[in-house]
């Protein structure tokens, strides 16, 4: 009872002052009494709790300093931490990492959640300048201290999640690599402290003369609490948490989740206290200030036990550490750019100023070696019955402390930013450094600050240096952030990596590269000189299939079916994409297993097509060299093909089947059973769909050409396996296309089948060019002939002839608009056809420009030859008779050309073959040979 009376009297003076303020600023004392006195009640309730509550703010240097100081003073035996309880086993691996890193829970196989949510991912980033890390380091390195995580599990994060994700902005620029380190993971808000009342935040920013919330917090909370005593820090943080909580808008979903989290944590703490028998006085509860001012019935060690924790779902969760960065933390939690870097710099200043020795995990990257072993936690002195006195009244009434101007620090900043700006391409000089110095002081004075903050300095630097344009990659704002500490990117050590990631590093060890280092490294593989590097090549090609673009990028060399690599060159950035490599470890214990699982997932997925399954077959053969998996997936491709009712994937199916057939014919004694069945089924399948595809508006000419290519190229194999060619003939008999390009494609196919001769095809094209009504559509016929090179490559010379006739006879209003269409057609859908067309044109056309004037197209020669009947043996034909009858015309032409000479009579035709008479010895030798035989 004495403690209760003392507890009430501790804040009695503050209650009286707030009551008077409510009466003075409102119409009556009841208008604000519920809020103002409620704040004091929340602080009083939390302070009087037997289990000490330590309120923190996420990544706050002031919270970290206060936590380190309190841990050394109290030395608690049990620390309850607001963090997902299922992440506890991973915390000991933090000593093998370079901060910042994030603890991640990952589930690729979801059960009990909508399938579109997969994969599920929860991250909790940890930096050195955070109270959470101080508590973790103290608990793990101090014998006899137990660390208990009490927040909801990762599974409950999604059980309580409404999952209303706002649509992404299509015009937003792509995120930088450091910003995207957390991906789409849900961030656990450890110590989130920000007003949820928009009007309140706007009011604080306006009257605080700051631009964003991070700057307000730095100016009005971080700096005043940086070197305050424990009681002042604790009560102020509880007051802020209570204020933001009571003024939060009534979002039912978010309020329900917050209160359920508080019920969950207090339920877990009471369960642990009952099971372990620990005295609450020996414990410390570390949570966000927002949750410390809780008003739920389950609050406190004596709260009610009515809250029931739901069982976890059947989802399979895996855990690991992924690299994080200051930019990723800022992006995920809505902080201002550069605020976490500025907080890290402020943390270093606070450590030097307060002389508080922070806790760091033994073996942590960058940590100093301990000179002597840590002592175990010693029994603490019993707490006094007197509760902490009222520190809020003095803190709230005290005028803000105006720090004096640190000219040396500000001069150093000004000189350094000018140096960095010059390196970035700005035309900065000493005059700019002076301007930045003076402008920083001016801005701080306009904002009622005697000492410029980093944010004042940033604004001054932008104003004085950036001016009109940004000459390099980084603007001045980014340069200031780098100068203040930079975007530190964490790294997960080798020992903390999952088995798959360690296996990748071990298998790539022969490359002699520092694969954990960020940035791009060049790897040169000479398999001819070092055959053992071929295994490294296999790993790199699989990583290229599994990891994001840029993690493993081939510069020289390629992998094709049936070819053995000799030399390769790679650009590797595994350190930059460490998160992606770690998440591969959640899917399996080796990259071969992960690749096999993904290929099966692709083949058996709901959106699988014959083309995608055949690609999976090729990948299984190319990267895994697994005949078992290739046969299984090939059988699946046959099943998928039989269910398809469209020809959308025909071009891809044709290319893949051709590659696989060529590989099996050169590397296997017999063809696999599945590919023989696929050819038979494909032949019948495409014969069935051919008449519909010719008339279907949705089927493109490229897709129909691919169908014909499959039928013509696979026909010998299909017929040998028992197919009937009558199917194909019936399909063509039922095909009646109307679209010009498909009509031309049908004509080309009929030439291949022998149903149409080239002479007839040439006559049809001439008829089209001679019809003025059809001339505007003639380029579409030519597009069909171009695509016909896929099923009928023998028509390459005819296509060159048709295109040449088009260039010669089509009017410019028709020809010029068609040329871009021709180019885009060849570039997008006919890239493999262009070399065939160009090679044929190079064979037909002259190789030198002067020869073009006297060049006669071969089709014109054929036309002249066909028009002149064969000459008789004696008369020289009708042409000779005509010249002999009218010699004056020929004489006039000869005179005009300058030719002189008498007329000669035609020689009589030889009685036999001229070659036999002229070269008789050949015939004699042949006779001797035949006689000897």
């Amino acid at each position: 009872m004495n403690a209760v009376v003392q507890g009430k009297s501790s804040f009695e003076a503050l209650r009286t002052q707030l009551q008077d303020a409510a009466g003075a600023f409102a119409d009556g004392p009841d208008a604000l009494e519920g809020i103002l006195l409620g704040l004091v009640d929340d602080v009083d309730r939390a302070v009087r709790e037997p289990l000490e509550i330590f309120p923190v703010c996420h990544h706050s240097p002031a919270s970290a300093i206060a936590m380190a100081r309190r841990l050394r003073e109290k030395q608690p035996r049990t620390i309850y931490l607001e963090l997902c309880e299922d992440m506890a086993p991973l915390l000991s691996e933090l000593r093998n990492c370079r901060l910042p890193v994030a603890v991640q829970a990952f589930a690729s196989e979801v059960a009990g959640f909508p399938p579109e949510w997969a994969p599920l991912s929860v991250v909790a980033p940890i930096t050195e300048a955070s109270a959470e890390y101080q508590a973790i380091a103290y608990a793990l390195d101090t014998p006899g201290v137990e660390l208990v995580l009490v927040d909801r599990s990762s599974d409950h994060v999604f059980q309580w999640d409404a999952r209303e994700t706002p649509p992404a902005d299509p015009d937003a620029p792509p995120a930088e690599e450091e910003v995207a380190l957390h991906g789409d993971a849900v961030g656990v808000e450890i110590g989130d402290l920000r007003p949820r009342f928009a009007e309140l935040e706007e009011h604080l920013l306006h009257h605080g003369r700051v631009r964003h919330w991070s700057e307000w917090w730095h100016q009005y909370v971080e700096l005043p609490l940086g070197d305050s005593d424990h009681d002042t820090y604790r009560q102020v943080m509880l007051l802020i948490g209570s204020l933001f909580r009571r003024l939060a808008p009534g979002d039912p979903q978010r309020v329900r989740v917050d209160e359920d989290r508080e019920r969950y944590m207090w339920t877990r703490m009471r369960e642990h206290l009952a099971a372990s028998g620990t005295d609450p006085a020996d414990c410390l509860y570390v949570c966000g200030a927002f949750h410390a001012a809780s008003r739920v019935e389950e609050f406190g060690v004596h709260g009610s036990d009515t809250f029931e924790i739901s069982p976890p779902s059947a989802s399979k969760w895996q855990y690991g550490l992924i690299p994080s960065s200051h930019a990723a933390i800022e992006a995920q939690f809505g902080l201002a750019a550069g605020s976490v870097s500025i907080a890290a710099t402020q943390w270093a200043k606070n450590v030097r100023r307060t002389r508080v020795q922070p806790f760091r995990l033994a073996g942590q990257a960058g940590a100093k070696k301990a000179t002597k072993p840590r002592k175990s936690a010693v029994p603490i002195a019993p707490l006094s019955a007197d509760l902490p006195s009222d520190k809020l009244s003095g803190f709230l009434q005290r005028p803000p402390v105006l720090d004096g101007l640190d000219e040396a620090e500000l001069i150093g900043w000004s000189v350094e930013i000018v140096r960095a700006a010059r390196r970035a391409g700005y035309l900065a000089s000493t005059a700019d450094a002076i301007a930045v110095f003076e402008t920083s002081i001016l801005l701080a004075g306009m904002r009622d600050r005697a000492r410029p903050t980093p944010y004042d300095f940033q604004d001054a630097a932008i104003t004085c240096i950036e001016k009109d344009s940004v000459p390099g990659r980084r603007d001045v704002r980014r340069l200031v952030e780098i100068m203040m500490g930079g975007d530190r990117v964490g790294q997960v050590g080798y020992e903390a990596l999952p088995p798959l990631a360690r296996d990748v590093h071990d298998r790539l060890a022969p490359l002699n590269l520092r694969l954990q280092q960020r940035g791009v490294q060049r790897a040169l593989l000479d398999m001819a000189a070092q055959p053992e590097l071929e295994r490294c090549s296999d790993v790199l090609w699989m990583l290229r299939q599994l990891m994001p673009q840029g993690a493993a990028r081939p510069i020289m060399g390629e992998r094709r079916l049936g070819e053995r690599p000799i030399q390769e060159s790679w650009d590797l950035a595994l350190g930059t994409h460490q998160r992606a490599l770690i998440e591969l470890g959640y899917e399996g214990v080796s990259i071969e297993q992960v690749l096999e699982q993904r290929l099966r997932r692709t083949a058996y997925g709901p959106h699988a097509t014959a083309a995608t399954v055949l690609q999976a077959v090729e990948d299984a053969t190319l990267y895994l060299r697994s005949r078992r998996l290739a046969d299984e997936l090939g059988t699946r491709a046959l099943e998928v093909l039989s269910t398809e009712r469209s020809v959308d994937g025909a071009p891809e199916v044709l290319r893949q089947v051709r590659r696989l057939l060529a590989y099996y014919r050169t590397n296997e004694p017999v063809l696999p059973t599945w590919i023989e069945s696929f050819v038979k089924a494909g032949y019948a399948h495409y014969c069935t769909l051919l008449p519909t595809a010719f008339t279907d508006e949705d089927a493109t000419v490229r897709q129909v050409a691919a169908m014909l290519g499959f039928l013509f190229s696979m026909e010998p194999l299909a017929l040998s396996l028992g197919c009937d060619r009558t199917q194909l003939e019936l399909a063509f008999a039922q095909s009646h296309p109307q679209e010009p390009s498909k009509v031309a494609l049908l004509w080309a196919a009929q030439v291949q089948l022998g149903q149409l001769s080239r002479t007839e095809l040439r006559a049809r094209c001439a008829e089209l060019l001679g019809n003025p009504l059809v001339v505007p559509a003639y380029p579409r016929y030519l597009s069909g002939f171009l695509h016909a090179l896929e099923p009928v490559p023998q028509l390459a010379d005819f296509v060159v002839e048709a295109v040449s006739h088009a260039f010669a006879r089509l009017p410019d209003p028709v020809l010029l608009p068609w040329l871009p269409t021709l180019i885009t057609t060849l570039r997008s859908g006919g890239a493999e056809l262009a070399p065939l067309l160009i090679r044929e044109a190079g064979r037909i056309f002259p190789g030198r420009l002067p020869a073009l004037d006297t060049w006669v197209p071969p089709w014109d020669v054929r036309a002249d030859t066909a028009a002149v009947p064969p000459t008789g043996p004696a008369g020289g034909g009708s042409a000779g008779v005509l010249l002999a009858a009218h010699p004056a015309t020929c004489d006039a032409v000869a005179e005009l050309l300058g030719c002189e000479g008498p007329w000669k009579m035609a020689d009589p035709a030889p009685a036999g073959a001229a070659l036999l008479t002229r070269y008789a010895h050949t015939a004699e030798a042949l006779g001797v040979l035949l006689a000897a035989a």
Side-chain angles (χ1 to χ4, degrees):
M1 185 66 184
N2 185 27
V4 174
V5 173
Q6 291 177 352
K8 289 185 178 180
S9 61
S10 298
F11 297 96
E12 193 64 32
L14 182 59
R15 283 193 178 91
T16 303
Q17 294 175 13
L18 293 179
Q19 227 168 3
D20 295 341
F25 291 102
D27 295 336
D30 296 335
L32 292 177
E33 185 176 2
I35 296 178
L36 296 181
L37 298 186
L39 302 179
V40 182
D41 293 339
D42 291 342
V43 175
D44 194 11
R45 183 186 186 190
V47 168
R48 287 190 287 111
E49 175 60 34
L51 195 159
E52 181 178 340
I53 302 174
F54 194 95
V56 300
C57 176
H58 191 46
H59 303 303
S60 167
S63 296
I65 287 292
M67 173 62 70
R69 182 190 293 114
R70 185 57 178 167
L71 290 174
R72 294 195 181 278
E73 292 175 354
K74 182 173 181 176
Q75 298 184 6
R77 292 185 178 276
T78 302
I79 296 180
Y80 298 112
L81 182 62
E82 179 192 338
L83 189 62
C84 295
E85 58 184 359
D86 52 338
M87 294 181 176
L90 278 178
L91 297 182
S92 59
E93 295 294 337
L94 289 174
R95 68 180 75 253
N96 298 318
C97 305
R98 184 177 69 241
L99 300 180
V101 296
V103 186
Q104 182 183 37
F106 189 90
S108 56
E109 300 179 6
V110 298
F113 302 106
E116 59 270 14
W117 287 14
L120 307 179
S121 180
V122 179
V123 298
I126 297 175
T127 63
E128 186 177 356
S130 63
E132 297 83 7
Y133 176 74
Q134 295 299 308
I136 292 171
Y138 165 79
L140 295 183
D141 281 354
T142 305
V145 176
E146 185 179 7
L147 178 65
V148 182
L149 306 186
V150 294
D151 199 1
R152 55 182 175 166
S153 66
S154 304
D155 197 89
H156 287 87
V157 171
F158 290 95
Q159 286 188 26
W160 299 351
D161 187 8
R163 215 62 191 293
E164 295 180 359
T165 305
D169 185 5
D171 299 329
E176 297 181 0
E177 292 179 350
E178 291 78 8
V179 175
L181 283 178
H182 294 174
D184 297 329
V186 175
V188 179
E189 298 176 349
I190 309 174
D192 176 43
L193 201 57
R194 184 168 184 167
R196 299 179 184 175
F197 191 27
E199 288 77 3
L200 173 61
E201 182 172 342
E202 182 181 355
H203 177 82
L204 294 175
L205 298 182
H206 174 72
H207 290 277
R209 300 183 181 181
V210 294
R211 293 168 300 159
H212 44 71
W213 175 250
S214 299
E215 185 177 359
W216 186 94
W217 183 267
H218 173 85
Q219 178 65 27
Y220 295 100
V221 180
E222 284 295 334
L223 297 181
L225 294 182
D227 54 358
S228 62
D229 61 274
H230 170 67
D231 292 338
T232 302
Y233 165 83
R234 187 181 176 202
Q235 294 176 22
V236 170
M237 291 294 288
L238 289 171
L239 179 67
I240 296 174
S242 176
L243 175 65
F244 291 167
R245 188 183 188 95
R246 287 183 176 272
L247 294 182
D251 182 0
Q253 171 64 19
R254 189 164 186 178
V255 171
R256 181 186 64 81
V257 171
D258 288 333
E259 292 181 348
D260 284 348
R261 288 181 66 185
E262 293 154 8
R263 296 186 179 99
Y264 194 107
M265 290 187 283
W266 280 111
T267 301
R268 289 302 192 201
M269 284 187 283
R270 283 194 297 271
E271 290 176 355
H272 181 268
L273 290 172
S276 62
T278 306
D279 187 356
D282 297 340
C283 304
L284 189 67
Y285 172 32
V286 183
C287 67
F290 189 88
H291 298 296
S294 174
R295 301 189 303 274
V296 297
E297 295 181 357
E298 290 79 3
F299 179 89
V301 295
H302 302 297
S304 64
D305 292 322
T306 58
F307 183 70
E308 295 184 2
I309 299 176
S310 60
S313 69
S315 300
K316 297 181 180 179
W317 288 91
Q318 302 187 59
Y319 304 90
L321 296 171
I322 62 173
S324 182
S325 68
H326 291 172
I329 296 172
E330 292 158 0
Q332 189 165 16
F333 295 96
L335 304 176
S339 59
V340 178
S341 299
I342 293 175
T345 304
Q346 186 66 33
W347 156 256
K349 290 182 180 179
N350 289 350
V351 170
R352 291 193 300 268
R353 185 176 68 251
T354 60
R355 299 180 181 274
V356 173
Q357 183 180 359
F359 292 94
R360 300 192 73 179
L361 288 170
Q364 187 85 53
K368 298 179 180 179
K369 294 183 179 180
T371 57
K372 55 182 179 180
R374 293 182 181 270
K375 297 180 180 179
S376 60
V378 297
I380 62 175
L383 292 177
S384 172
D386 296 334
L387 294 174
S389 60
D390 177 16
K391 300 287 187 178
L392 281 176
S393 299
F395 181 85
L396 296 176
Q397 294 176 0
R398 184 179 64 195
V401 178
L402 299 177
D403 294 335
L405 174 63
D406 189 346
E407 291 190 1
E409 180 185 57
L410 187 56
I411 290 175
W413 288 356
S414 302
V415 172
E416 184 62 30
I417 190 59
V418 169
R419 183 182 294 113
R422 290 184 66 85
R423 287 197 299 265
Y426 289 89
L427 299 177
S429 63
T430 305
D432 293 307
I434 298 174
V436 171
F437 177 85
E438 297 294 344
T439 306
S440 300
I441 298 175
L442 177 62
L443 289 177
M446 294 171 61
R447 297 165 180 173
D448 294 334
R449 295 195 279 266
R451 181 176 185 173
T453 65
Y455 299 97
D456 298 326
F457 173 76
Q458 187 179 62
D459 292 342
I462 294 172
T463 302
C464 300
I465 297 177
E466 191 163 289
K467 299 181 177 71
D468 297 332
S469 62
V470 179
R473 291 180 53 227
R474 298 184 176 97
D475 56 9
V476 175
R477 182 182 303 277
R478 179 63 178 148
L479 294 177
V480 173
E481 294 171 7
I482 295 174
M483 189 192 73
M484 289 293 175
D487 183 19
R488 299 179 187 174
V489 180
Q491 184 184 72
V492 180
Y494 175 85
E495 294 78 6
L497 292 173
L500 180 143
R502 291 201 299 268
D503 178 61
V504 168
H505 283 279
D506 293 341
R507 293 167 68 177
L508 295 180
L511 298 179
N512 297 322
L513 297 176
R514 300 177 61 184
L515 297 177
Q516 286 193 294
Q517 180 178 341
R518 291 181 59 81
V520 179
Q521 303 179 70
R522 179 63 57 88
L524 303 175
L525 286 72
D526 186 357
M527 276 75 76
Q530 296 177 281
E532 64 274 9
L533 293 181
E534 188 171 351
R535 297 182 178 179
C536 297
S537 174
D538 295 338
V539 174
L540 293 176
W541 283 108
M542 284 186 282
L543 290 178
R544 181 175 180 267
Q545 291 294 112
L546 297 173
M547 295 189 66
Q549 185 178 8
R553 185 167 63 94
I555 303 301
M556 180 186 71
E558 58 183 350
R559 177 152 292 198
R560 293 182 179 178
L561 290 173
E563 295 183 0
R564 184 174 179 273
I566 299 176
Q567 288 183 336
E568 292 177 353
S569 175
W570 290 80
D571 275 352
L572 302 180
L574 298 184
T576 304
H577 297 84
Q578 193 180 47
R579 168 180 165 264
L581 181 61
I582 290 173
E583 290 187 351
L584 283 182
Y586 300 150
E587 302 183 44
V589 296
S590 67
I591 52 177
E592 287 84 0
Q593 180 186 3
V594 174
L595 182 56
E596 182 173 341
Q597 290 175 355
R598 290 196 180 182
L599 292 178
R600 279 202 175 93
R601 195 180 305 132
T602 301
Y604 291 92
H607 304 292
T609 62
T612 58
V613 180
L614 285 176
Q615 184 61 51
V617 174
E618 183 176 348
D619 291 341
T621 305
L622 194 60
Y623 303 116
L624 297 176
R625 298 187 178 93
S626 174
R627 176 66 183 273
R628 169 192 55 81
L629 180 61
D631 290 348
E632 176 188 342
L633 299 181
T635 305
R636 171 62 180 169
L638 179 61
E639 298 173 0
V640 174
L641 179 68
S642 62
T643 61
E644 289 185 348
R645 293 297 177 264
S646 66
V647 295
D648 295 342
E652 291 76 15
V653 169
L654 175 61
R655 287 197 299 269
Q656 289 155 2
V657 169
R658 281 176 174 175
R659 287 198 297 264
L660 290 170
L661 272 176
Y663 169 75
Y664 287 129
R665 282 170 172 167
T666 56
N667 293 273
E668 300 287 343
V670 294
L671 291 178
T673 305
W674 74 265
I675 201 168
E676 293 181 347
S677 302
F678 189 90
V679 171
K680 290 175 58 179
Y683 188 83
H685 180 72
Y686 286 134
C687 283
T688 303
L689 295 180
L690 187 61
T692 305
F694 267 120
T695 57
D696 188 2
E697 295 181 356
D698 295 332
T700 64
V701 63
R702 178 170 175 258
Q703 294 168 353
V704 179
M707 293 176 59
L708 295 174
F710 185 95
L711 293 173
F712 290 157
S713 60
M714 303 296 161
E715 186 178 25
L717 179 59
L719 295 180
S720 67
L721 295 174
C723 292
D724 189 356
R725 201 186 191 208
T726 307
Q727 293 178 290
L728 184 61
E729 295 175 351
L730 290 175
F732 274 96
Q734 298 171 358
S735 299
H736 305 287
Q738 300 294 328
E739 207 274 328
S741 59
K742 293 182 180 179
V743 171
L745 189 60
L746 178 62
W747 291 348
Q750 290 174 342
V751 171
Q752 174 70 13
L753 291 175
Q755 299 176 356
L756 189 69
S757 66
R758 287 203 176 198
T759 303
E760 294 172 338
L761 180 61
R762 189 175 288 109
R764 291 185 180 183
C765 292
E767 182 181 354
L768 293 176
L769 280 174
N771 189 343
L773 298 178
V774 183
V775 165
Y778 188 73
R780 298 168 64 185
Y781 286 92
L782 290 181
S783 298
F785 286 129
L786 288 173
H787 284 286
L789 293 178
E790 178 72 63
V792 192
Q794 298 86 351
L795 285 180
D797 57 340
F798 174 79
V799 174
V800 173
E801 176 184 344
V803 172
S804 300
H805 277 302
F807 275 84
R809 298 182 58 181
L810 285 178
D812 289 346
V814 176
L815 180 63
L816 294 180
W818 172 65
L819 289 179
T821 305
L822 171 64
I823 296 173
T824 55
T825 300
L826 290 175
R827 179 175 295 178
S828 60
E832 67 279 0
L833 305 177
L836 179 63
L837 193 63
I838 294 173
R839 184 170 58 252
E840 186 64 25
R843 186 184 65 83
I844 294 177
F845 290 99
R848 296 182 178 276
L849 186 60
L852 189 62
D853 295 333
T854 58
W855 175 72
V856 178
W859 47 86
D860 289 346
V861 174
R862 289 195 300 269
D864 293 343
T865 305
V868 178
T871 59
S878 58
V881 174
L882 184 62
L883 290 176
H886 304 280
T889 303
C890 188
D891 291 339
V893 173
E895 183 180 357
L896 179 63
L897 297 176
C899 298
E900 297 179 356
W903 281 82
K904 293 183 179 180
M905 297 304 295
D907 296 334
L915 289 178
L916 293 179
T917 306
R918 187 175 302 175
Y919 304 102
H921 59 279
T922 303
E924 295 174 356
L926 180 60
V928 172
L929 180 61
L930 293 176

